[in-house]
Amino acid sequence: MAVLPFLTTVAMYNAAVSNPLLAGDLNCPTCAMVRGGLVGAVIGGFYPVLLALPVNAGLATRYNTAPMPEKGNVMRFWISVTQPVLRKMSFVFILQALFAVYLSSRHYGIYMKMLELPTSDTEVLKD
């Protein structure tokens, strides 16, 4: 469960940035950086918080460490509980997005250098 956000972030980055770059479907540097930033912020930042909510609720219910809300107030309760955490984590979300934008820009730069390489007319070497 601890590596699930990491694996999901890598898979989504590959699906949203890497594969379209290599397929030639993503030729805009701004688009690559925005896609990378969104993947980093949403999947790398908010997704682990959303995964932690049911785990924390289950532990609080099992060990009776926090009073759980009635059936009608569940969403309002979780919104009020997570707002202070999200405010404190906003710097981490922004940092995650900035690292993803940087990674996407480097990835796009490597892609452009790869396109500038001359093609080789030699035959494939055989063993």
Side-chain angles (χ1 to χ4, degrees):
M1 181 84 170
V3 296
L4 189 61
F6 172 73
L7 294 176
T8 307
T9 304
V10 169
M12 286 300 297
Y13 183 83
N14 283 335
V17 179
S18 296
N19 291 341
L21 269 177
L22 294 176
D25 297 333
L26 185 61
N27 293 323
C28 172
T30 306
C31 299
M33 288 190 279
V34 168
R35 282 186 184 191
L38 284 174
V39 168
V42 174
I43 305 298
F46 291 115
Y47 181 62
V49 172
L50 292 177
L51 283 178
L53 285 176
V55 172
N56 290 338
L59 290 173
T61 303
R62 178 183 295 170
Y63 297 114
N64 294 325
T65 57
M68 289 290 110
E70 293 82 29
K71 297 216 183 242
N73 297 329
V74 174
M75 286 302 293
R76 191 174 336 144
F77 173 76
W78 285 113
I79 288 172
S80 66
V81 167
T82 57
Q83 277 182 348
V85 174
L86 291 177
R87 282 191 201 118
K88 290 178 184 176
M89 292 288 293
S90 64
F91 176 73
V92 175
F93 296 148
I94 292 170
L95 190 65
Q96 180 82 15
L98 289 177
F99 280 135
V101 166
Y102 173 73
L103 180 67
S104 297
S105 69
R106 298 293 295 168
H107 201 168
Y108 184 80
I110 291 169
Y111 170 72
M112 292 307 292
K113 284 182 184 178
M114 183 183 73
L115 289 178
E116 293 173 0
L117 289 175
T119 59
S120 175
D121 292 335
T122 61
E123 293 181 21
V124 177
L125 297 175
K126 296 181 181 178
D127 287 345

